[in-house]
């Protein structure tokens, strides 16, 4: 999926396999929800109101986290096509340009010497350094 490992696409996957995966995900979600509900009932019966409130807050945070994850997954394509100006991109950096250049040079030599796989790269596009994933694909902003 992420990285295009040569597997088949969703259109080529048999319907029954997709249905089984969806069923398992829904079943696990229902079981977890039921367990949390049982814990909540137990806490109410034992008069542990502060623990019950904490459990409810955890449930609401998990729901919010899931919703944000869903939004990011659905909006991944349009989000990656957002480009900002060079002036806005060159601000709010934790390091100065000279420090970033030195770090990028050090990272490049250390990975070449140790013969390891690089997961995070630094792209120098027209004087502004950008951190990108090594298997990142195409850079839409550089083409504009």
């Amino acid at each position: 999926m992420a990285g295009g490992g040569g597997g088949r696409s969703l259109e080529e996957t048999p319907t029954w396999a997709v249905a089984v995966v969806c069923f398992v995900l829904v079943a696990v979600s229902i079981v977890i929800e039921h367990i949390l509900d049982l814990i909540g009932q137990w806490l109410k019966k034992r008069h542990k109101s502060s623990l019950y409130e904490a459990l409810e807050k955890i449930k609401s945070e998990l729901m919010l986290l899931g919703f944000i994850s869903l939004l990011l997954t659905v909006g991944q394509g349009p989000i990656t096509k957002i480009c900002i100006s060079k002036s806005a991109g060159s601000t709010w950096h934790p390091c100065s340009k000279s420090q970033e250049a030195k770090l990028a040079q050090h990272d490049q030599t250390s990975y070449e010497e140790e013969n390891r796989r690089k997961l995070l790269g630094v792209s120098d596009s027209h004087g502004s350094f950008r951190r990108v994933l090594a298997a990142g694909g195409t850079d839409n902003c550089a083409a504009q």
Side-chain angles (χ1 to χ4, degrees):
M1 294 206 173
R8 57 175 108 166
S9 67
L10 185 61
E11 291 86 16
E12 298 168 349
T13 305
T15 307
W16 66 267
V18 175
V20 166
V21 169
C22 290
F23 174 77
V24 168
L25 290 174
V26 169
V28 167
S29 298
I30 289 172
V31 167
I32 290 173
E33 177 68 26
H34 185 68
I35 289 171
L36 289 175
D37 190 46
L38 289 175
I39 292 171
Q41 289 175 3
W42 183 81
L43 289 174
K44 271 186 172 179
K45 189 166 62 170
R46 301 278 189 240
H47 303 291
K48 310 274 187 187
S49 60
S50 59
L51 287 176
Y52 179 74
E53 292 295 324
L55 179 68
E56 288 298 316
K57 285 185 180 184
I58 289 172
K59 283 171 50 175
S60 67
E61 290 296 321
L62 285 173
M63 188 180 301
L64 181 63
L65 183 67
F67 183 69
I68 290 172
S69 175
L70 177 67
L71 285 179
L72 287 175
T73 302
V74 169
Q76 181 178 1
I79 289 172
T80 58
K81 291 182 175 75
I82 295 174
C83 297
I84 59 172
S85 66
K86 289 182 187 177
S87 62
S90 63
T91 59
W92 292 89
H93 286 256
C95 302
S96 66
K97 287 188 179 187
S98 61
Q99 287 175 329
E100 284 192 15
K102 189 183 344 177
L103 287 172
Q105 180 65 27
H106 173 64
D107 286 347
Q108 184 68 29
T109 56
S110 67
Y111 276 105
E112 289 173 356
E113 291 171 358
E114 297 173 10
N115 197 16
R116 296 190 305 180
R117 182 173 172 219
K118 191 171 191 175
L119 298 177
L120 182 68
V122 178
S123 170
D124 181 15
S125 58
H126 308 295
S128 66
F129 290 97
R130 296 179 53 210
R131 298 188 186 279
V132 293
L133 292 175
T138 61
D139 186 7
N140 295 329
C141 296
Q144 293 179 352

